[in-house]
Amino acid sequence: MAEQVIEIRDLHKAFGSHEVLKGIDFTASKGEVVCIIGSSGSGKSTLLRCINLLENPDKGEIRYHGKDILTDETVNMPQYHAKVGMVFQQFNLFGNMNVLENCMTGQMKVLGRSREESMENAMKYLRKVGMEAYVGAKPRQLSGGPKQRVAIARTLAMDPEVILFDEPTSALDPEMVGEVLAVMQNLAQEGMTMLVVTHEMGFARAVASKVVFMDQGVIAEEGTPDEVLGSPKHERLQSFLRSML
Amino acid sequence: MPTTFFGWVGFLLEQYGGLFLSGTGMTLLIALTGTIFGFAIGLLVAIVRTIEIPRGMGLFKRALRKIAHMLIAVYIQIFRGTPMIVQAMVIYYGSMQYLGIDMERTVAAILIISINTGAYMAEIIRGGIISVDKGQFEAAHAIGMTHWQTMTTVVLPQAIRNILPSVGNELIVNIKDSSVLNVISVSELFFQAKSAAGTYYKYFEVFFIIAVIYLILTVTVSRILRFVEKKMDGPDNYVICGSQSDSRSEIIVSKEQEKEVDRQWQSK
């Protein structure tokens, strides 16, 4: 069995009196692509945001290579953030920097890399996502698809071990969804461990090694794409999949 | 003695030109340094106010933060809520009578404008920070940057760009409103004008000249600020490096062309 990278035990999170996560247990092994599906409000994004500590969970464990990042003092937070990258629905590129600087600043500030090394690394990943020609462009000069590709390059430039994708194509024009999914598929084939919150069932079917269906703060069903998408057992999953058609 | 209006203007300029010039210099000095210090005060206050409570922050630190927030609120309320002319009197004469500090008038003037401007700047800068969308904070935290790194490299550069028009406004207001500091006898433009006008009882002529000087100052400053804004925004177009036929070539594209290039990339 492959090494477990992320392991979550009994994770709880509430916003005020509204309980969003009601005890999540789940693991992701090295090289796995886990697609998390479910209707809005089911807690998918909150789960990802908890793993990245953009939200503080109320209870439970988030283990990264066996160490609980919520309690273990030996975990270096900036390093953890670098190792567990995140790609957002709204891209969130730094507006005051051009494409190249967006991909360099984290390397220099967080990883302490030199300017030259950061630039070389940034260019490597910008080439990978097909954005190397746009190094001088500011985010506001790009449209959605290119922006998201730059955001992926920015995350890759930190040399992460896991990437969390929070609905990476939901804010895109339909014509640009394909190019971003292609980049992601490419990453998956290279063995990147990925947790993807998505509504792209085609992507989940083709790329995921595991599909997780969340409903009302719990994992209602999980398994291979064939099991979960092909022969759903849970009634809510069946109706969810019907509504996606 | 001159007999016409313009005769008087010429005469007064000849007589008091040097005085007006030194007054202009003083006004500019007070307004500029006051705005810069005020900006620094505002920046500090705004950063303190945006610090979020990290996990497991101690009770003592929480209390400290609470007290800091209260002091800031009181400061802003008082200095936005009273006229600067009154603040000048209270600070200058108060410190002289009760603290025994006889401030150099110029220093007092700069101090008063700085504190006053700081109260406004604090709100302006807070607005600027809020104007940077929250996603960028999150993205910066998500790649491991600290609050300080996020602020200095991502948020403040954009916040400051966004508030530049308001900051410019403050500078222009300060150029004009520093005139109220004549009540503590700072030798700024208005004060100099008063003494010049009194000699020949030519109030209209002198203050006509002064009005023109103020106008020249404010128009010049707003032009300079507009230029700085444009500079900060950078060009609307950008350069694409390396075409497929020649990697050394550079292509300049605008937003519309960029969409076209993007479509081509997709179809590959």
Side-chain angles (χ1 to χ4, degrees):
Chain A
M1 177 150 179
E3 188 187 356
Q4 283 180 356
V5 183
I6 300 270
E7 185 183 355
I8 290 167
R9 289 281 157 259
D10 194 31
L11 197 72
H12 287 260
K13 173 71 188 174
F15 293 110
S17 61
H18 178 56
E19 214 180 357
V20 183
L21 299 179
K22 303 170 186 166
I24 302 284
D25 290 277
F26 132 108
T27 58
S29 307
K30 202 164 183 54
E32 231 182 350
V33 177
V34 182
C35 282
I36 304 170
I37 60 172
S39 48
S40 48
S42 59
K44 312 178 299 281
S45 289
T46 308
L47 174 59
L48 277 202
R49 291 168 62 83
C50 280
I51 295 175
N52 204 276
L53 293 185
L54 289 174
E55 308 288 352
N56 283 322
D58 301 327
K59 199 182 131 200
E61 294 173 7
I62 299 172
R63 294 186 171 274
Y64 173 67
H65 287 292
K67 284 185 178 172
D68 183 10
I69 56 160
L70 299 175
T71 53
D72 196 328
E73 300 283 331
T74 63
V75 179
N76 176 327
M77 275 304 145
Q79 292 293 336
Y80 171 74
H81 276 124
K83 282 288 161 206
V84 180
M86 181 132 178
V87 173
F88 299 86
Q89 183 177 0
Q90 298 295 340
F91 332 121
N92 298 347
L93 293 177
F94 305 138
N96 57 325
M97 302 176 196
N98 66 26
V99 164
L100 184 61
E101 289 160 345
N102 259 283
C103 299
M104 286 170 63
T105 185
Q107 299 185 65
M108 295 195 296
K109 298 274 172 190
V110 180
L111 303 178
R113 287 181 184 156
S114 71
R115 206 177 168 76
E116 293 68 36
E117 193 188 354
S118 304
M119 192 184 297
E120 208 171 296
N121 206 37
M123 284 309 292
K124 181 171 111 192
Y125 290 112
L126 283 170
R127 267 194 292 277
K128 193 184 187 90
V129 299
M131 288 299 293
E132 76 275 21
Y134 297 87
V135 286
K138 287 280 181 72
R140 67 183 149 85
Q141 294 165 324
L142 302 174
S143 34
K147 270 190 200 164
Q148 193 61 297
R149 281 165 23 212
V150 172
I152 292 173
R154 176 176 68 180
T155 306
L156 286 171
M158 303 296 286
D159 295 319
E161 208 186 336
V162 185
I163 303 183
L164 315 173
F165 290 88
D166 187 7
E167 304 201 26
T169 57
S170 298
L172 298 180
D173 290 340
E175 49 173 331
M176 293 185 175
V177 170
E179 63 181 75
V180 171
L181 291 181
V183 168
M184 290 168 61
Q185 185 154 11
N186 197 0
L187 281 178
Q189 277 158 4
E190 288 171 12
M192 176 64 74
T193 311
M194 293 161 50
L195 304 188
V196 188
V197 169
T198 186
H199 293 293
E200 296 293 332
M201 293 305 143
F203 177 81
R205 209 180 289 271
V207 181
S209 42
K210 181 158 85 180
V211 175
V212 169
F213 172 65
M214 283 186 69
D215 185 47
Q216 297 181 342
V218 295
I219 291 178
E221 198 162 331
E222 69 176 291
T224 64
D226 280 346
E227 290 164 9
V228 176
L229 303 175
S231 50
K233 296 176 201 64
H234 206 279
E235 191 189 319
R236 292 192 69 106
L237 175 55
Q238 289 165 357
S239 69
F240 172 74
L241 289 175
R242 268 198 303 279
S243 72
M244 296 304 289
L245 294 176
Chain B
M1 286 285 118
T3 47
T4 61
F5 170 74
F6 287 107
W8 269 109
V9 168
F11 175 78
L12 287 165
L13 273 176
E14 207 171 300
Q15 287 269 306
Y16 296 112
L19 200 67
F20 295 156
L21 215 59
S22 78
T24 306
M26 181 57 83
T27 291
L28 271 180
L29 174 78
I30 298 174
L32 258 176
T33 46
T35 308
I36 291 168
F37 287 139
F39 183 79
I41 295 173
L43 204 59
L44 201 72
V45 167
I47 289 177
V48 169
R49 287 213 290 193
T50 54
I51 292 175
E52 286 185 25
I53 313 172
R55 263 185 311 154
M57 193 163 158
L59 199 67
F60 175 69
K61 276 189 176 170
R62 266 172 203 276
L64 210 64
R65 183 168 168 274
K66 186 108 192 162
I67 292 168
H69 279 214
M70 261 167 57
L71 287 177
I72 288 169
V74 170
Y75 160 62
I76 292 176
Q77 202 61 68
I78 288 179
F79 281 89
R80 283 202 316 186
T82 55
M84 189 158 73
I85 193 166
V86 176
Q87 292 162 16
M89 297 299 259
V90 170
I91 291 178
Y92 184 66
Y93 291 106
S95 63
M96 188 146 55
Q97 282 178 14
Y98 289 96
L99 302 174
I101 306 166
D102 187 8
M103 267 187 281
E104 164 80 46
R105 288 171 199 280
T106 315
V107 175
I110 292 174
L111 179 77
I112 290 157
I113 293 217
S114 302
I115 300 177
N116 184 280
T117 309
Y120 287 93
M121 287 286 192
E123 289 294 292
I124 293 174
I125 293 170
R126 192 169 68 103
I129 291 174
I130 294 171
S131 77
V132 178
D133 78 283
K134 203 158 169 279
Q136 293 190 36
F137 280 86
E138 294 190 338
H141 286 161
I143 58 175
M145 285 202 225
T146 61
H147 181 74
W148 178 251
Q149 286 173 335
T150 306
M151 273 297 180
T152 51
T153 58
V154 177
V155 178
L156 286 179
Q158 294 179 72
I160 289 170
R161 163 62 193 95
N162 290 348
I163 61 172
L164 217 57
S166 312
V167 173
N169 239 348
E170 280 299 305
L171 177 57
I172 286 169
V173 166
N174 281 344
I175 289 174
K176 297 182 298 172
D177 286 6
S178 57
S179 59
V180 305
L181 295 171
N182 78 84
V183 294
I184 56 166
S185 311
V186 186
S187 55
E188 45 73 48
L189 191 52
F190 184 88
F191 183 80
Q192 303 292 51
K194 250 191 355 185
S195 29
T199 322
Y200 295 98
Y201 290 100
K202 285 294 168 191
Y203 285 91
F204 174 61
E205 288 79 357
V206 167
F207 281 99
F208 178 78
I209 295 170
I210 298 306
V212 172
I213 296 177
Y214 274 119
L215 198 60
I216 291 172
L217 289 184
T218 51
V219 168
T220 313
V221 165
S222 37
R223 283 289 154 83
I224 292 172
L225 284 167
R226 187 64 53 81
F227 177 75
V228 171
E229 270 178 49
K230 281 227 163 115
K231 257 288 186 287
M232 276 180 91
D233 284 344
D236 277 341
N237 300 336
Y238 59 94
V239 173
I240 282 198
C241 317
S243 77
Q244 285 172 339
S245 51
D246 181 1
S247 63
R248 282 163 307 170
S249 71
E250 292 185 337
I251 311 160
I252 295 173
V253 263
S254 60
K255 179 93 187 162
E256 287 68 41
Q257 287 166 299
E258 184 266 326
K259 279 190 179 145
E260 183 54 40
V261 174
D262 190 57
R263 267 194 288 279
Q264 286 169 12
W265 191 86
Q266 280 174 32
S267 60
K268 264 200 282 184

